[in-house]
Amino acid sequence: MLSKFQIAVDNARKLFFGANKTQGSSSPFTQCSSLSSSADMVEHQFSSSKVQALYELCKSTFSPSGLPPSSSAAVQKISSLLDSIGPADVGLKEETSDDDRGHGMFGLQRLSRVAKWSQPITYIDVYECDSFTMCIFCFPTSSVIPLHDHPGMTVFSKVLYGSLHVKAYDWVEPAVLSKTKDGFPPLTERLAKFAVDKVLTAPCVTSVLYPNAGGNLHCFTALTPCAVLDILTPTYNEQAGRKCTYYHDYPDSKLCKQFSASGVEVKDGGTEEYAWLSEIETPEDLYMRPGQYTGPAIRE
C-alpha cells in the first residue's frame, strides 16, 4: 500500500497535471505562496534560466536505475546550482508567519482556524520523470515529516527560507538486528548510526544524502515557516524496491549493547552515536496536501 507521502504526490499530479502532466494548469487549492505581482512575473522570467538549467543538468546526469552513481563532480555542480536558487526562483514568497493556507476551500471561517500544529505541509510537484523528482515542501511552524528512508536514492535538499531541524541516520553495515525480550520495543529493530543532527537556516548550502551515507533516513521538523526544494534520484518506485518506509528510533545505549555481531562495535555510552530503528505504519498525524507550482515553466 502506498504511504501517505506517495498518495499526496499522486493526488497532486492528478489534480494539477492530469495524465499528460501539463505544467502550470489551474488548481482549486490555495497556493503555497501568494500569487505573484507583475514585478514578480518579470523576475520569474529573468530567473527561469536557473530552474531550466537545473532541469537540464539533472536530465543529463541521472538515470532511472541510479547507475552508475553520480560522480562527485556532478554532485558538486548540481549542489552549486541549487545553492544559487532562492524562493522567487521557484515562484515562492517567504512566509514570515503561519497562516491557514489550504483550508479556505473547505469553507472554514477565519475565526475557526485549526491549531497551527494541525496545518498541512504543502507538497508542490515541480517536475518528475523516471530518473528524478524535483519538488518543494512548504512547512508551517512545528510541522514534521517523520523519520523515513530513501532506499537506493540520492537526495539534494535546499532550504529556501526559514529554519528546519534535521535528524538523520545511516544503517550500520552489515545489517545488525535485535529482537528484544518482553515485547519492547514490539518489532524487530535494525541498528543505525547518527549522521546528522542540526538546524538548517536559509541562506545555507545544499545538503546531500546518498544511498549508504549522509543520513539516508531522516526526519524534518520546522522551527519556523520554511520551504525546502528537493531533488530525489532515482524516484520512489515500489516495484523497483524504492518504497518510502517510516521508522521509530530508540537511541538507547542499553539497547545498543543487546546485540551480537562480528565486525561491528558500538561505543559505550553511545546514545549520541547509535539507535535502533523499528519500522512503523505511516503516521496518522502526517498531514500533507498538494500545492500548485507557480514558478517558471520547465521546457522539456
Side-chain angles (χ1 to χ4, degrees), residues 168-279:
Y169 299 90
D170 287 313
W171 293 121
V172 168
E173 297 290 355
V176 178
L177 304 179
S178 174
K179 292 184 178 179
T180 59
K181 297 179 180 180
D182 302 324
F184 181 82
L187 301 175
T188 299
E189 305 86 34
R190 181 176 173 182
L191 192 66
K193 183 174 182 178
F194 268 108
V196 178
D197 186 5
K198 64 182 179 181
V199 174
L200 301 176
T201 300
C204 57
V205 298
T206 300
S207 298
V208 186
L209 63 83
Y210 301 91
N212 300 306
N216 187 273
L217 304 96
H218 66 200
C219 171
F220 285 163
T221 302
L223 303 183
T224 68
C226 59
V228 180
L229 172 59
D230 268 3
I231 296 176
L232 302 85
T233 180
T235 61
Y236 279 115
N237 185 324
E238 189 168 349
Q239 287 69 36
R242 297 191 298 273
K243 175 187 175 183
C244 182
T245 302
Y246 293 90
Y247 298 88
H248 184 83
D249 56 338
Y250 298 89
D252 189 324
S253 60
K254 292 182 180 179
L255 286 176
C256 291
K257 294 177 182 179
Q258 289 180 6
F259 77 95
S260 176
S262 60
V264 179
E265 179 181 355
V266 174
K267 301 176 182 178
D268 290 338
T271 56
E272 296 181 355
E273 294 291 334
Y274 295 90
W276 294 108
L277 305 189
S278 291
E279 182 176 337

Side-chain angles (χ1 to χ4, degrees), residues 33-288:
S33 61
S34 302
L35 288 174
S36 302
S37 64
S38 297
D40 291 329
M41 294 303 294
V42 172
E43 184 176 4
H44 286 172
Q45 293 173 5
F46 177 79
S47 62
S48 64
S49 60
K50 289 184 180 179
V51 177
Q52 186 66 29
L54 184 61
Y55 157 77
E56 292 173 357
L57 185 56
C58 291
K59 197 74 172 178
S60 64
T61 302
F62 303 135
S63 68
S65 67
L67 298 173
S70 302
S71 67
S72 58
V75 169
Q76 182 58 46
K77 193 171 183 179
I78 292 171
S79 296
S80 295
L81 183 51
L82 279 168
D83 288 344
S84 72
I85 294 178
D89 296 311
V90 291
L92 298 183
K93 288 183 179 179
E94 182 171 350
E95 299 288 346
T96 57
S97 62
D98 290 319
D99 57 29
D100 61 342
R101 60 179 177 264
H103 301 290
M105 68 169 293
F106 299 107
L108 297 179
Q109 297 181 357
R110 299 184 70 84
L111 295 178
S112 61
R113 294 179 180 177
V114 295
K116 67 180 182 180
W117 53 82
S118 298
Q119 292 181 22
I121 297 168
T122 302
Y123 174 88
I124 300 175
D125 191 349
V126 179
Y127 179 84
E128 179 163 16
C129 62
D130 290 340
S131 298
F132 66 95
T133 297
M134 191 184 303
C135 59
I136 301 169
F137 294 92
C138 297
F139 296 81
T141 301
S142 302
S143 57
V144 178
I145 294 182
L147 186 65
H148 62 283
D149 62 355
H150 306 83
M153 301 161 67
T154 299
V155 180
F156 299 77
S157 296
K158 170 64 190 301
V159 178
L160 298 170
Y161 63 76
S163 293
L164 185 75
H165 178 257
V166 180
K167 179 174 69 172
Y169 299 90
D170 287 313
W171 293 121
V172 168
E173 297 290 355
V176 178
L177 304 179
S178 174
K179 292 184 178 179
T180 59
K181 297 179 180 180
D182 302 324
F184 181 82
L187 301 175
T188 299
E189 305 86 34
R190 181 176 173 182
L191 192 66
K193 183 174 182 178
F194 268 108
V196 178
D197 186 5
K198 64 182 179 181
V199 174
L200 301 176
T201 300
C204 57
V205 298
T206 300
S207 298
V208 186
L209 63 83
Y210 301 91
N212 300 306
N216 187 273
L217 304 96
H218 66 200
C219 171
F220 285 163
T221 302
L223 303 183
T224 68
C226 59
V228 180
L229 172 59
D230 268 3
I231 296 176
L232 302 85
T233 180
T235 61
Y236 279 115
N237 185 324
E238 189 168 349
Q239 287 69 36
R242 297 191 298 273
K243 175 187 175 183
C244 182
T245 302
Y246 293 90
Y247 298 88
H248 184 83
D249 56 338
Y250 298 89
D252 189 324
S253 60
K254 292 182 180 179
L255 286 176
C256 291
K257 294 177 182 179
Q258 289 180 6
F259 77 95
S260 176
S262 60
V264 179
E265 179 181 355
V266 174
K267 301 176 182 178
D268 290 338
T271 56
E272 296 181 355
E273 294 291 334
Y274 295 90
W276 294 108
L277 305 189
S278 291
E279 182 176 337
I280 61 173
E281 297 293 329
T282 302
E284 290 295 328
D285 57 355
L286 178 57
Y287 190 14
M288 193 176 295

